[in-house]
Amino acid sequence: MNMASGSSHGSSCNYCILDKVLTRWCNARLAHAHTRIGELSELSKSKKLLALLESLSNKEIGCLTRRRWFNTISKKKNEIKAALKFMEKESIQTKPWVRAEAIVRGDLKCIESLVWSLVLHYQIKPAVSCLGLPSLHPPQHSPTLSSEEGGKEEGGKEGEEEE
């Protein structure tokens, strides 16, 4: 019993660390917009997410509704949809579960995935391309030496590998 609770505590601790690291990364980028977040879940506030995207891309998204009285969940959802559409236009790949509704609800898994997509696009991809390394995505199918050797050893001939 203690082992089970200990392992879930360790997993929870890992998410805490990830949350802190991603929050710091966001705050370093949000400094240009003269704002910050206390925790990652604050990106469910559409203004914070839009400020982060504008700061990273150096482009204005400009979809904020300026009316004070129109501060509803549907307004936030529409602004976050605009942010996701902007990300799609910028070729920033996200996971299928990253949806405006989940972000507005403050779904931490969804927000972490969204931020990780931003880290990949704006920090890791440029660093990899500057180094002249191959793409971040491995090829779909690449034969390995061990699989070729395995077929030769079993059947003795290369052609007998497939049945």
Side-chain angles (χ1 to χ4, degrees), residues 72-123:
T72 64
I73 290 179
S74 66
K75 171 199 157 223
K76 286 181 183 179
K77 189 165 51 169
N78 287 336
E79 290 174 348
I80 289 175
K81 281 181 181 180
L84 293 174
K85 193 174 284 189
F86 173 80
M87 290 174 64
E88 184 180 327
K89 191 172 86 177
E90 293 290 308
S91 301
I92 302 170
Q93 297 176 350
T94 59
K95 296 293 183 185
W97 64 79
V98 177
R99 301 270 184 235
E101 297 80 13
I103 295 169
V104 169
R105 277 195 322 267
D107 181 342
L108 195 55
K109 177 184 174 187
C110 183
I111 294 170
E112 286 173 347
S113 180
L114 174 90
V115 173
W116 182 244
S117 295
L118 295 173
V119 170
L120 283 173
H121 185 80
Y122 287 108
Q123 188 162 357

Side-chain angles (χ1 to χ4, degrees), residues 14-25:
N14 289 340
Y15 283 113
C16 260
I17 292 169
L18 178 63
D19 188 45
K20 287 179 183 178
V21 168
L22 292 177
T23 300
R24 287 181 183 166
W25 185 87

Side-chain angles (χ1 to χ4, degrees), residues 26-37 47-48 51-52 54-55:
C26 289
N27 281 329
R29 277 76 196 160
L30 283 168
H32 300 289
H34 306 290
T35 189
R36 64 182 331 265
I37 56 174
K47 288 181 184 178
K48 299 285 185 175
L52 179 61
E54 288 179 348
S55 177

Side-chain angles (χ1 to χ4, degrees), residues 37-82:
I37 56 174
E39 56 188 36
L40 216 53
S41 63
E42 287 182 41
L43 289 177
S44 66
K45 299 174 183 173
S46 53
K47 288 181 184 178
K48 299 285 185 175
L49 179 58
L50 291 169
L52 179 61
L53 284 172
E54 288 179 348
S55 177
L56 288 167
S57 68
N58 292 320
K59 296 179 182 176
E60 191 171 317
I61 299 172
C63 67
L64 286 173
T65 306
R66 301 288 179 206
R67 295 184 209 154
R68 274 289 228 219
W69 60 271
F70 193 59
N71 192 12
T72 64
I73 290 179
S74 66
K75 171 199 157 223
K76 286 181 183 179
K77 189 165 51 169
N78 287 336
E79 290 174 348
I80 289 175
K81 281 181 181 180

